[in-house]
């Protein structure tokens, strides 16, 4: 079922994999009761990210991507 889970630890490990997506829109949402975003690219949901905050800093980011999977989960949150 999909790709295996990948876990990264530390600021450098996470930021080295972060990529800017031109034209991406972030829609703030609650993910399991905590801060999160839906990432929309070219009008289509692309990813969901949930943030765990500790001591005023992001301590953990949980997320997944895939247009079809994300679209099913965010139905009703994004117009269209």
């Amino acid at each position: 079922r999909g790709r295996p889970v990948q876990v990264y630890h530390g600021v450098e490990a996470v930021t080295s994999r972060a990529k800017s997506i031109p034209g991406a829109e972030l829609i703030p949402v609650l993910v399991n009761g905590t801060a999160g975003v839906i990432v929309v690219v070219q009008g289509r949901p692309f990813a969901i990210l949930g943030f765990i905050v500790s001591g005023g800093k992001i301590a953990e980011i949980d997320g997944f991507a895939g247009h079809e999977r994300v679209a099913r989960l965010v139905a009703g949150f994004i117009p269209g």
Side-chain angles (χ1 to χ4, degrees), residues 1-2 38 44-48 64-78:
R1 255 190 180 254
I38 299 170
R44 295 177 59 201
F46 174 77
I48 299 174
F64 59 91
H67 287 291
E68 291 179 18
R69 183 176 179 200
V70 174
R72 284 193 309 269
L73 292 170
V74 302
F77 288 96
I78 300 175

Side-chain angles (χ1 to χ4, degrees), residues 23-66:
E25 177 185 358
L26 303 179
I27 300 173
V29 294
L30 290 177
V31 176
N32 294 325
T34 65
V37 294
I38 299 170
V39 181
V40 178
V41 178
Q42 297 180 348
R44 295 177 59 201
F46 174 77
I48 299 174
L49 303 174
F51 306 103
I52 297 175
V53 178
S54 178
K57 296 181 180 182
I58 296 174
E60 185 175 323
I61 302 171
D62 295 315
F64 59 91

